Amino acid sequence: MALAPRQLLHICGPNGSGKTTLLRVACGLLRPEQGEVSWGGQSISSVRLEYQAQLAYASHEPALKADLTALENLRFAVGLKRPATIKDLRDSLERTGAAACADLPARVLSAGQRRRVAMARVLAMGASLWLLDEPFTNLDAAGAELMSALLRSHVEKGGAALVVAHHDLTVDVDSRRLDLAA
């Protein structure tokens, strides 16, 4: 299955059907048992640096260091990928509705706030390909609407997104759905 710029691929299926495994294969964390993941017509193993430079992955767990503030978490994670100013990082937190959390340690944030900070990390990476595992988990209705808007904006601006979600997505973009069976 191919995913092009300006497209969203929604992967869904019951627990244990391989959704997260497929996402980990797509980002190069696991090798596929069959087939191959390609980027620009080449295996990701042969263009690893180029591929990873264009990739932002958010697992189902927000992956934040508990003792670091939200801003410090972004500075650390994004800094591994590209230079980013504090203003850029604060802007990402603002866009996800997590600006008020910038100077709070991750350990005191609610699950929804941690999800928003994790999404701010994805935004701040400036990647063209987003791989998101259950990005709507722990979000209230306003957070889910915001997440949909961020996905729509990313795709409309030429990005691509592969999203694992148990529920239907309400993102008005060119999208396809891949249903996995147990």
Side-chain angles (χ1 to χ4, degrees):
M1 177 165 282
L3 178 63
R6 298 186 178 276
Q7 288 184 335
L8 182 146
L9 176 60
H10 174 201
I11 300 171
C12 51
N15 291 338
S17 62
K19 299 179 302 292
T20 297
T21 299
L22 178 59
L23 201 59
R24 288 179 179 160
V25 168
C27 67
L29 294 173
L30 296 174
R31 290 183 185 260
E33 290 181 14
Q34 295 180 351
E36 152 177 281
V37 178
S38 299
W39 180 256
Q42 298 180 348
S43 169
I44 62 170
S45 62
S46 65
V47 291
R48 183 166 301 285
L49 293 178
E50 295 88 348
Y51 180 63
Q52 292 191 350
Q54 293 303 314
L55 170 72
Y57 170 67
S59 70
H60 63 281
E61 292 295 326
L64 302 173
K65 306 275 187 207
D67 291 331
L68 297 180
T69 66
L71 187 60
E72 290 167 337
N73 267 285
L74 292 186
R75 190 169 164 208
F76 173 75
V78 175
L80 292 172
K81 189 162 207 117
R82 69 172 192 88
T85 67
I86 295 298
K87 182 186 179 325
D88 291 339
L89 301 176
R90 286 190 183 277
D91 287 349
S92 293
L93 288 167
E94 181 74 36
R95 286 183 62 199
T96 62
C101 304
D103 300 313
L104 297 175
R107 74 175 173 277
V108 303
L109 302 178
S110 72
Q113 290 169 323
R114 287 193 303 270
R115 177 70 56 198
R116 287 171 183 255
V117 171
M119 192 61 201
R121 181 179 58 230
V122 168
L123 288 174
M125 295 228 176
S128 62
L129 175 60
W130 290 1
L131 302 178
L132 308 176
D133 194 353
E134 296 294 348
F136 295 90
T137 299
N138 297 319
L139 292 178
D140 57 16
E145 284 181 34
L146 177 64
M147 181 65 68
S148 292
L150 292 170
L151 277 164
R152 182 176 50 257
S153 175
H154 175 68
V155 171
E156 286 176 346
K157 290 178 181 175
L162 192 146
V163 180
V164 168
H166 281 97
H167 57 80
D168 288 333
L169 296 182
T170 55
V171 182
D172 189 24
V173 295
D174 180 10
S175 63
R176 291 179 291 151
R177 181 174 164 145
L178 174 64
D179 288 295
L180 301 180

